[in-house]
Short mmCIF file of all heavy atoms in Angstrom, two decimals:
data_model
loop_
_atom_site.label_atom_id
_atom_site.label_comp_id
_atom_site.label_asym_id
_atom_site.label_seq_id
_atom_site.Cartn_x
_atom_site.Cartn_y
_atom_site.Cartn_z
N MET A 1 142.39 35.13 -130.60
CA MET A 1 141.49 35.01 -129.46
C MET A 1 141.53 33.57 -128.96
O MET A 1 141.59 32.65 -129.74
CB MET A 1 140.06 35.39 -129.90
CG MET A 1 139.06 35.38 -128.76
SD MET A 1 137.38 35.79 -129.29
CE MET A 1 137.59 37.45 -129.82
N SER A 2 141.49 33.40 -127.65
CA SER A 2 141.45 32.05 -127.11
C SER A 2 140.39 31.97 -126.02
O SER A 2 140.02 32.99 -125.43
CB SER A 2 142.81 31.63 -126.56
OG SER A 2 143.14 32.43 -125.46
N PHE A 3 139.90 30.79 -125.79
CA PHE A 3 138.86 30.56 -124.80
C PHE A 3 139.33 29.45 -123.87
O PHE A 3 140.00 28.52 -124.30
CB PHE A 3 137.55 30.13 -125.47
CG PHE A 3 137.01 31.15 -126.40
CD1 PHE A 3 137.41 31.18 -127.72
CD2 PHE A 3 136.11 32.10 -125.95
CE1 PHE A 3 136.92 32.13 -128.59
CE2 PHE A 3 135.61 33.06 -126.82
CZ PHE A 3 136.02 33.07 -128.14
N SER A 4 138.93 29.54 -122.62
CA SER A 4 139.27 28.50 -121.67
C SER A 4 138.10 28.26 -120.74
O SER A 4 137.50 29.21 -120.24
CB SER A 4 140.50 28.91 -120.86
OG SER A 4 140.81 27.91 -119.93
N PHE A 5 137.74 27.02 -120.56
CA PHE A 5 136.64 26.65 -119.68
C PHE A 5 137.17 25.68 -118.64
O PHE A 5 137.81 24.70 -118.98
CB PHE A 5 135.51 25.97 -120.47
CG PHE A 5 134.99 26.83 -121.58
CD1 PHE A 5 135.52 26.73 -122.86
CD2 PHE A 5 133.98 27.74 -121.35
CE1 PHE A 5 135.04 27.51 -123.89
CE2 PHE A 5 133.50 28.54 -122.37
CZ PHE A 5 134.03 28.42 -123.64
N THR A 6 136.92 25.95 -117.38
CA THR A 6 137.37 25.05 -116.33
C THR A 6 136.19 24.64 -115.48
O THR A 6 135.19 25.36 -115.38
CB THR A 6 138.43 25.71 -115.44
OG1 THR A 6 137.90 26.92 -114.91
CG2 THR A 6 139.69 26.03 -116.23
N ASP A 7 136.29 23.50 -114.87
CA ASP A 7 135.24 22.99 -114.01
C ASP A 7 135.11 23.89 -112.78
O ASP A 7 136.12 24.26 -112.19
CB ASP A 7 135.57 21.56 -113.58
CG ASP A 7 134.36 20.85 -113.02
OD1 ASP A 7 133.78 21.36 -112.06
OD2 ASP A 7 134.02 19.78 -113.55
N PRO A 8 133.88 24.27 -112.38
CA PRO A 8 133.74 25.13 -111.21
C PRO A 8 134.20 24.48 -109.90
O PRO A 8 134.47 25.17 -108.93
CB PRO A 8 132.25 25.45 -111.17
CG PRO A 8 131.59 24.44 -112.03
CD PRO A 8 132.62 23.97 -113.02
N GLU A 9 134.27 23.16 -109.87
CA GLU A 9 134.75 22.48 -108.67
C GLU A 9 136.25 22.24 -108.83
O GLU A 9 136.67 21.46 -109.68
CB GLU A 9 134.01 21.15 -108.47
CG GLU A 9 132.52 21.34 -108.24
CD GLU A 9 131.81 20.02 -108.02
OE1 GLU A 9 132.44 19.07 -107.52
OE2 GLU A 9 130.63 19.95 -108.35
N PRO A 10 137.07 22.89 -108.02
CA PRO A 10 138.52 22.81 -108.24
C PRO A 10 139.13 21.43 -108.02
O PRO A 10 140.21 21.17 -108.50
CB PRO A 10 139.08 23.82 -107.23
CG PRO A 10 138.00 24.03 -106.23
CD PRO A 10 136.70 23.74 -106.92
N ASN A 11 138.45 20.53 -107.33
CA ASN A 11 139.03 19.21 -107.11
C ASN A 11 138.89 18.31 -108.33
O ASN A 11 139.41 17.21 -108.36
CB ASN A 11 138.41 18.54 -105.87
CG ASN A 11 136.90 18.37 -106.00
OD1 ASN A 11 136.28 18.93 -106.90
ND2 ASN A 11 136.32 17.62 -105.11
N ARG A 12 138.20 18.77 -109.34
CA ARG A 12 138.12 18.01 -110.59
C ARG A 12 139.08 18.63 -111.59
O ARG A 12 139.20 19.84 -111.69
CB ARG A 12 136.69 18.06 -111.15
CG ARG A 12 135.71 17.35 -110.25
CD ARG A 12 134.36 17.30 -110.91
NE ARG A 12 133.40 16.67 -110.03
CZ ARG A 12 132.13 16.54 -110.31
NH1 ARG A 12 131.65 17.01 -111.43
NH2 ARG A 12 131.32 15.94 -109.46
N ASP A 13 139.74 17.79 -112.34
CA ASP A 13 140.77 18.28 -113.27
C ASP A 13 140.25 18.50 -114.68
O ASP A 13 141.03 18.68 -115.60
CB ASP A 13 141.96 17.32 -113.30
CG ASP A 13 142.71 17.34 -111.98
OD1 ASP A 13 142.68 18.38 -111.30
OD2 ASP A 13 143.33 16.32 -111.65
N ARG A 14 138.95 18.44 -114.89
CA ARG A 14 138.42 18.63 -116.23
C ARG A 14 138.56 20.09 -116.65
O ARG A 14 138.23 21.00 -115.92
CB ARG A 14 136.93 18.28 -116.29
CG ARG A 14 136.65 16.82 -116.04
CD ARG A 14 135.18 16.58 -116.14
NE ARG A 14 134.85 15.30 -115.55
CZ ARG A 14 133.63 14.93 -115.18
NH1 ARG A 14 132.63 15.76 -115.32
NH2 ARG A 14 133.42 13.76 -114.67
N SER A 15 139.05 20.29 -117.83
CA SER A 15 139.11 21.63 -118.40
C SER A 15 139.09 21.51 -119.91
O SER A 15 139.36 20.45 -120.47
CB SER A 15 140.34 22.38 -117.93
OG SER A 15 141.49 21.76 -118.44
N PHE A 16 138.77 22.61 -120.55
CA PHE A 16 138.69 22.61 -122.00
C PHE A 16 139.20 23.96 -122.48
O PHE A 16 138.82 24.99 -121.95
CB PHE A 16 137.23 22.42 -122.43
CG PHE A 16 137.02 22.61 -123.90
CD1 PHE A 16 137.47 21.68 -124.80
CD2 PHE A 16 136.37 23.74 -124.38
CE1 PHE A 16 137.28 21.85 -126.15
CE2 PHE A 16 136.18 23.92 -125.74
CZ PHE A 16 136.63 22.98 -126.63
N SER A 17 140.08 23.95 -123.43
CA SER A 17 140.55 25.21 -123.99
C SER A 17 140.87 25.00 -125.46
O SER A 17 141.19 23.89 -125.90
CB SER A 17 141.76 25.73 -123.24
OG SER A 17 142.84 24.84 -123.41
N PHE A 18 140.76 26.06 -126.23
CA PHE A 18 141.15 25.99 -127.62
C PHE A 18 141.54 27.38 -128.10
O PHE A 18 141.14 28.38 -127.53
CB PHE A 18 140.04 25.41 -128.51
CG PHE A 18 138.81 26.27 -128.59
CD1 PHE A 18 138.67 27.23 -129.59
CD2 PHE A 18 137.78 26.10 -127.68
CE1 PHE A 18 137.53 28.00 -129.66
CE2 PHE A 18 136.64 26.87 -127.75
CZ PHE A 18 136.51 27.83 -128.75
N THR A 19 142.33 27.40 -129.14
CA THR A 19 142.70 28.67 -129.77
C THR A 19 141.88 28.78 -131.04
O THR A 19 141.68 27.80 -131.75
CB THR A 19 144.20 28.69 -130.09
OG1 THR A 19 144.92 28.52 -128.87
CG2 THR A 19 144.59 30.01 -130.72
N GLU A 20 141.43 29.97 -131.30
CA GLU A 20 140.45 30.19 -132.36
C GLU A 20 141.04 30.09 -133.76
O GLU A 20 141.86 30.91 -134.15
CB GLU A 20 139.86 31.59 -132.16
CG GLU A 20 138.92 31.99 -133.25
CD GLU A 20 138.54 33.44 -133.10
OE1 GLU A 20 139.16 34.18 -132.34
OE2 GLU A 20 137.59 33.82 -133.78
N PRO A 21 140.59 29.12 -134.54
CA PRO A 21 140.86 29.18 -135.98
C PRO A 21 139.95 30.25 -136.61
O PRO A 21 139.09 30.80 -135.94
CB PRO A 21 140.47 27.79 -136.50
CG PRO A 21 140.23 26.95 -135.31
CD PRO A 21 139.97 27.88 -134.16
N THR A 22 140.14 30.51 -137.86
CA THR A 22 139.42 31.63 -138.47
C THR A 22 137.90 31.45 -138.46
O THR A 22 137.17 32.42 -138.32
CB THR A 22 139.89 31.84 -139.92
OG1 THR A 22 139.79 30.61 -140.63
CG2 THR A 22 141.32 32.34 -139.95
N ASP A 23 137.40 30.23 -138.62
CA ASP A 23 135.95 30.05 -138.72
C ASP A 23 135.26 29.89 -137.37
O ASP A 23 134.03 29.92 -137.30
CB ASP A 23 135.61 28.88 -139.62
CG ASP A 23 136.10 27.55 -139.08
OD1 ASP A 23 137.02 27.55 -138.25
OD2 ASP A 23 135.56 26.52 -139.49
N VAL A 24 135.99 29.73 -136.29
CA VAL A 24 135.35 29.53 -134.99
C VAL A 24 134.60 30.78 -134.56
O VAL A 24 133.50 30.69 -134.00
CB VAL A 24 136.38 29.10 -133.92
CG1 VAL A 24 135.77 29.10 -132.54
CG2 VAL A 24 136.93 27.72 -134.25
N LYS A 25 135.15 31.94 -134.85
CA LYS A 25 134.49 33.19 -134.48
C LYS A 25 133.12 33.27 -135.14
O LYS A 25 132.13 33.66 -134.51
CB LYS A 25 135.34 34.38 -134.90
CG LYS A 25 134.91 35.69 -134.32
CD LYS A 25 135.90 36.78 -134.66
CE LYS A 25 136.13 37.67 -133.48
NZ LYS A 25 137.18 38.65 -133.70
N GLU A 26 133.03 32.87 -136.41
CA GLU A 26 131.76 32.86 -137.11
C GLU A 26 130.80 31.84 -136.51
O GLU A 26 129.60 32.09 -136.37
CB GLU A 26 131.97 32.57 -138.60
CG GLU A 26 132.73 33.68 -139.30
CD GLU A 26 133.27 33.25 -140.64
OE1 GLU A 26 132.99 32.12 -141.09
OE2 GLU A 26 134.01 34.06 -141.25
N GLN A 27 131.31 30.68 -136.13
CA GLN A 27 130.47 29.66 -135.51
C GLN A 27 129.95 30.13 -134.16
O GLN A 27 128.78 29.93 -133.83
CB GLN A 27 131.24 28.34 -135.35
CG GLN A 27 131.56 27.68 -136.68
CD GLN A 27 132.45 26.47 -136.52
OE1 GLN A 27 133.02 26.22 -135.46
NE2 GLN A 27 132.61 25.72 -137.59
N LEU A 28 130.81 30.78 -133.37
CA LEU A 28 130.37 31.30 -132.08
C LEU A 28 129.31 32.38 -132.26
O LEU A 28 128.34 32.45 -131.49
CB LEU A 28 131.56 31.87 -131.30
CG LEU A 28 132.54 30.84 -130.76
CD1 LEU A 28 133.76 31.54 -130.16
CD2 LEU A 28 131.89 29.94 -129.74
N GLN A 29 129.44 33.22 -133.29
CA GLN A 29 128.44 34.24 -133.55
C GLN A 29 127.12 33.60 -133.94
O GLN A 29 126.05 34.04 -133.50
CB GLN A 29 128.91 35.19 -134.65
CG GLN A 29 127.96 36.35 -134.89
CD GLN A 29 127.78 37.21 -133.63
OE1 GLN A 29 128.74 37.67 -133.07
NE2 GLN A 29 126.54 37.40 -133.21
N ALA A 30 127.16 32.55 -134.75
CA ALA A 30 125.94 31.84 -135.13
C ALA A 30 125.27 31.23 -133.91
O ALA A 30 124.04 31.28 -133.77
CB ALA A 30 126.26 30.77 -136.17
N ILE A 31 126.07 30.65 -133.01
CA ILE A 31 125.52 30.07 -131.78
C ILE A 31 124.88 31.16 -130.93
O ILE A 31 123.78 30.99 -130.40
CB ILE A 31 126.62 29.32 -131.00
CG1 ILE A 31 127.04 28.07 -131.77
CG2 ILE A 31 126.13 28.96 -129.59
CD1 ILE A 31 128.31 27.44 -131.23
N ALA A 32 125.55 32.30 -130.81
CA ALA A 32 125.00 33.41 -130.03
C ALA A 32 123.69 33.90 -130.64
O ALA A 32 122.73 34.18 -129.93
CB ALA A 32 126.02 34.55 -129.95
N ASP A 33 123.65 34.01 -131.96
CA ASP A 33 122.42 34.44 -132.64
C ASP A 33 121.28 33.46 -132.37
O ASP A 33 120.15 33.87 -132.10
CB ASP A 33 122.65 34.58 -134.14
CG ASP A 33 123.59 35.72 -134.49
OD1 ASP A 33 123.84 36.60 -133.62
OD2 ASP A 33 124.09 35.74 -135.64
N MET A 34 121.57 32.15 -132.44
CA MET A 34 120.54 31.15 -132.17
C MET A 34 120.08 31.23 -130.72
O MET A 34 118.88 31.12 -130.44
CB MET A 34 121.08 29.75 -132.48
CG MET A 34 121.16 29.46 -133.96
SD MET A 34 121.63 27.75 -134.29
CE MET A 34 123.41 27.86 -134.15
N ALA A 35 121.01 31.44 -129.80
CA ALA A 35 120.65 31.54 -128.39
C ALA A 35 119.73 32.73 -128.15
O ALA A 35 118.74 32.62 -127.42
CB ALA A 35 121.90 31.65 -127.52
N HIS A 36 120.03 33.87 -128.78
CA HIS A 36 119.16 35.04 -128.63
C HIS A 36 117.77 34.78 -129.19
O HIS A 36 116.77 35.18 -128.60
CB HIS A 36 119.79 36.26 -129.32
CG HIS A 36 120.96 36.81 -128.58
ND1 HIS A 36 122.16 37.08 -129.18
CD2 HIS A 36 121.12 37.13 -127.27
CE1 HIS A 36 123.01 37.54 -128.27
NE2 HIS A 36 122.41 37.57 -127.11
N GLU A 37 117.70 34.08 -130.32
CA GLU A 37 116.40 33.75 -130.91
C GLU A 37 115.62 32.81 -130.00
O GLU A 37 114.41 32.97 -129.80
CB GLU A 37 116.61 33.14 -132.30
CG GLU A 37 115.34 32.74 -133.00
CD GLU A 37 114.43 33.92 -133.37
OE1 GLU A 37 114.86 35.08 -133.26
OE2 GLU A 37 113.29 33.66 -133.77
N ILE A 38 116.30 31.82 -129.43
CA ILE A 38 115.64 30.88 -128.50
C ILE A 38 115.09 31.64 -127.30
O ILE A 38 113.95 31.43 -126.89
CB ILE A 38 116.62 29.76 -128.07
CG1 ILE A 38 116.90 28.84 -129.25
CG2 ILE A 38 116.06 28.98 -126.88
CD1 ILE A 38 118.06 27.90 -129.04
N LEU A 39 115.90 32.53 -126.73
CA LEU A 39 115.43 33.30 -125.58
C LEU A 39 114.24 34.18 -125.94
O LEU A 39 113.31 34.34 -125.15
CB LEU A 39 116.58 34.14 -125.02
CG LEU A 39 117.71 33.35 -124.36
CD1 LEU A 39 118.85 34.28 -124.00
CD2 LEU A 39 117.21 32.61 -123.14
N ARG A 40 114.24 34.74 -127.15
CA ARG A 40 113.12 35.56 -127.59
C ARG A 40 111.85 34.72 -127.70
O ARG A 40 110.78 35.12 -127.26
CB ARG A 40 113.44 36.22 -128.94
CG ARG A 40 112.42 37.25 -129.38
CD ARG A 40 112.68 37.73 -130.79
NE ARG A 40 112.51 36.68 -131.79
CZ ARG A 40 111.31 36.24 -132.21
NH1 ARG A 40 110.20 36.73 -131.72
NH2 ARG A 40 111.24 35.29 -133.11
N LEU A 41 112.00 33.52 -128.27
CA LEU A 41 110.84 32.63 -128.42
C LEU A 41 110.32 32.17 -127.05
O LEU A 41 109.11 32.09 -126.84
CB LEU A 41 111.21 31.42 -129.28
CG LEU A 41 111.50 31.74 -130.75
CD1 LEU A 41 112.09 30.52 -131.45
CD2 LEU A 41 110.24 32.22 -131.45
N VAL A 42 111.23 31.87 -126.13
CA VAL A 42 110.82 31.48 -124.77
C VAL A 42 110.05 32.62 -124.12
O VAL A 42 109.01 32.39 -123.48
CB VAL A 42 112.04 31.07 -123.92
CG1 VAL A 42 111.68 30.95 -122.45
CG2 VAL A 42 112.62 29.76 -124.44
N ALA A 43 110.52 33.85 -124.28
CA ALA A 43 109.82 35.00 -123.71
C ALA A 43 108.42 35.13 -124.32
O ALA A 43 107.46 35.43 -123.60
CB ALA A 43 110.63 36.27 -123.93
N ASP A 44 108.31 34.91 -125.63
CA ASP A 44 106.99 34.96 -126.27
C ASP A 44 106.05 33.91 -125.70
O ASP A 44 104.88 34.19 -125.41
CB ASP A 44 107.12 34.75 -127.79
CG ASP A 44 107.72 35.95 -128.51
OD1 ASP A 44 107.80 37.04 -127.88
OD2 ASP A 44 108.10 35.79 -129.68
N VAL A 45 106.54 32.69 -125.53
CA VAL A 45 105.71 31.61 -124.99
C VAL A 45 105.29 31.93 -123.56
O VAL A 45 104.14 31.73 -123.19
CB VAL A 45 106.45 30.26 -125.05
CG1 VAL A 45 105.73 29.18 -124.28
CG2 VAL A 45 106.64 29.84 -126.51
N ARG A 46 106.21 32.45 -122.76
CA ARG A 46 105.87 32.81 -121.39
C ARG A 46 104.79 33.88 -121.34
O ARG A 46 103.88 33.81 -120.51
CB ARG A 46 107.11 33.29 -120.63
CG ARG A 46 108.03 32.17 -120.27
CD ARG A 46 109.21 32.69 -119.46
NE ARG A 46 110.03 31.57 -119.01
CZ ARG A 46 111.24 31.70 -118.54
NH1 ARG A 46 111.79 32.89 -118.44
NH2 ARG A 46 111.93 30.66 -118.15
N ARG A 47 104.89 34.87 -122.24
CA ARG A 47 103.85 35.90 -122.28
C ARG A 47 102.51 35.31 -122.65
O ARG A 47 101.48 35.64 -122.07
CB ARG A 47 104.23 36.99 -123.31
CG ARG A 47 105.11 38.07 -122.73
CD ARG A 47 105.17 39.28 -123.65
NE ARG A 47 105.80 38.98 -124.94
CZ ARG A 47 107.11 38.98 -125.14
NH1 ARG A 47 107.94 39.28 -124.16
NH2 ARG A 47 107.61 38.70 -126.32
N GLN A 48 102.49 34.39 -123.62
CA GLN A 48 101.23 33.78 -124.06
C GLN A 48 100.62 32.91 -122.97
O GLN A 48 99.40 32.90 -122.80
CB GLN A 48 101.47 32.95 -125.33
CG GLN A 48 101.80 33.80 -126.54
CD GLN A 48 102.22 32.96 -127.73
OE1 GLN A 48 102.04 31.75 -127.73
NE2 GLN A 48 102.78 33.61 -128.74
N THR A 49 101.46 32.18 -122.25
CA THR A 49 100.90 31.28 -121.23
C THR A 49 100.52 32.01 -119.95
O THR A 49 99.72 31.51 -119.18
CB THR A 49 101.92 30.16 -120.87
OG1 THR A 49 103.13 30.75 -120.44
CG2 THR A 49 102.17 29.27 -122.07
N SER A 50 101.05 33.21 -119.75
CA SER A 50 100.69 33.95 -118.53
C SER A 50 99.42 34.76 -118.70
O SER A 50 98.88 35.29 -117.74
CB SER A 50 101.84 34.87 -118.09
OG SER A 50 102.02 35.88 -119.06
N ASN A 51 98.92 34.86 -119.94
CA ASN A 51 97.68 35.62 -120.17
C ASN A 51 96.45 34.76 -120.01
O ASN A 51 96.41 33.63 -120.18
CB ASN A 51 97.67 36.24 -121.59
CG ASN A 51 98.74 37.33 -121.69
OD1 ASN A 51 99.14 37.90 -120.68
ND2 ASN A 51 99.17 37.62 -122.90
#
């Protein structure tokens, strides 16, 4: 699996790409899990502050 990220403005030459070593998939899953937890906590706070 490989990933590639490019700048949304085409006149800039910044880009980032890498090919997945074996542990990157696990790291990406951990990041995704943390992101879902953060979003869940933000939703909880929004519910509490809107009441």
Side-chain angles (χ1 to χ4, degrees):
M1 183 181 295
S2 65
F3 299 88
S4 179
F5 303 92
T6 56
D7 196 303
E9 296 181 29
N11 59 349
R12 295 186 182 177
D13 291 332
R14 294 181 196 162
S15 66
F16 172 72
S17 65
F18 65 91
T19 301
E20 175 188 13
T22 53
D23 64 338
V24 171
K25 193 174 221 174
E26 294 164 5
Q27 292 173 349
L28 289 173
Q29 185 60 54
I31 292 168
D33 292 344
M34 285 186 276
H36 287 131
E37 179 66 10
I38 290 167
L39 292 173
R40 188 188 66 77
L41 293 170
V42 168
D44 288 346
V45 170
R46 286 183 175 166
R47 273 195 295 276
Q48 292 172 12
T49 57
S50 66
N51 292 337

